[in-house]
């Protein structure tokens, strides 16, 4: 009888375990166009006008497309984990699964930030276009 109760207890524990999943804001889904890049070794800032063709497309099924100069340069699955919310910014990291790449991520209203300026990294700012 003790063995049966032990097995039931183990099964109940396993059934109750869930992988943590951060709900994505529906506001993320759609197209985002590059507006600026900053950082790097020289610390320069580059600005990009609307219609420049450098776009991220994020879909509700956790897939993305990266478009550069109006051509798809990468596509696949993505995961975002929000670890902090401060002054209206949702902050965490984004992982592009198919290219095994993870970077800093932040979102506030119609602007997303991908990357960081730490250790000469590049931070890109994207504005929502659709």
């Amino acid at each position: 009888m003790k063995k049966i109760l032990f097995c039931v207890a183990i099964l109940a524990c396993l059934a109750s375990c869930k992988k943590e999943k951060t709900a994505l804001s529906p506001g993320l889904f759609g197209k985002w166009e590059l507006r600026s890049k900053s950082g790097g070794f020289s610390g320069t800032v580059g600005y990009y006008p609307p219609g420049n063709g450098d776009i991220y497309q994020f879909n509700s099924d956790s897939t993305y497309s990266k478009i550069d100069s109006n051509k798809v340069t990468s596509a696949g699955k993505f995961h975002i984990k929000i670890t902090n919310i401060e002054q209206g910014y949702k902050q965490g990291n984004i992982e592009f699964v198919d290219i095994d790449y993870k970077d800093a991520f932040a979102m506030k209203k119609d602007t997303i930030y991908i990357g960081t300026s730490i250790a000469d990294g590049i931070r890109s700012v994207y504005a929502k276009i659709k």
Side-chain angles (χ1 to χ4, degrees):
M1 183 68 170
K2 289 182 182 179
K3 288 182 182 180
I4 292 173
L5 289 175
F6 179 73
C7 289
V8 170
I10 294 294
L11 289 174
C13 288
L14 291 174
S16 67
C17 293
K18 292 182 181 178
K19 187 176 182 181
E20 182 182 326
K21 185 175 182 179
T22 304
L24 292 175
S25 167
L28 173 69
F29 309 130
K31 291 185 178 182
W32 298 83
E33 188 172 51
L34 181 67
R35 291 295 180 253
S36 69
K37 283 186 181 182
S38 60
F41 183 72
S42 64
T44 60
V45 178
Y47 296 98
Y48 301 83
N52 64 65
D54 194 335
I55 295 171
Y56 268 110
Q57 167 78 45
F58 292 105
N59 304 309
S60 60
D61 63 353
S62 294
T63 60
Y64 78 97
S65 296
K66 177 71 171 92
I67 302 164
D68 294 311
S69 300
N70 297 311
K71 294 181 182 177
V72 175
T73 56
S74 64
K77 292 271 190 187
F78 74 94
H79 299 290
I80 293 176
K81 183 176 181 184
I82 300 299
T83 56
N84 188 31
I85 298 175
E86 187 175 315
Q87 297 179 353
Y89 287 90
K90 295 178 183 179
Q91 302 170 348
N93 59 52
I94 185 167
E95 178 181 5
F96 297 101
V97 177
D98 297 344
I99 57 175
D100 196 29
Y101 181 70
K102 192 181 283 189
D103 213 336
F105 177 86
M107 180 178 182
K108 185 174 183 180
K109 297 184 182 179
D110 289 341
T111 305
I112 59 174
Y113 307 83
I114 298 176
T116 180
S117 59
I118 297 173
D120 297 329
I122 302 290
R123 182 175 186 175
S124 301
V125 179
Y126 291 83
K128 187 147 191 184
I129 58 173
K130 284 189 182 178

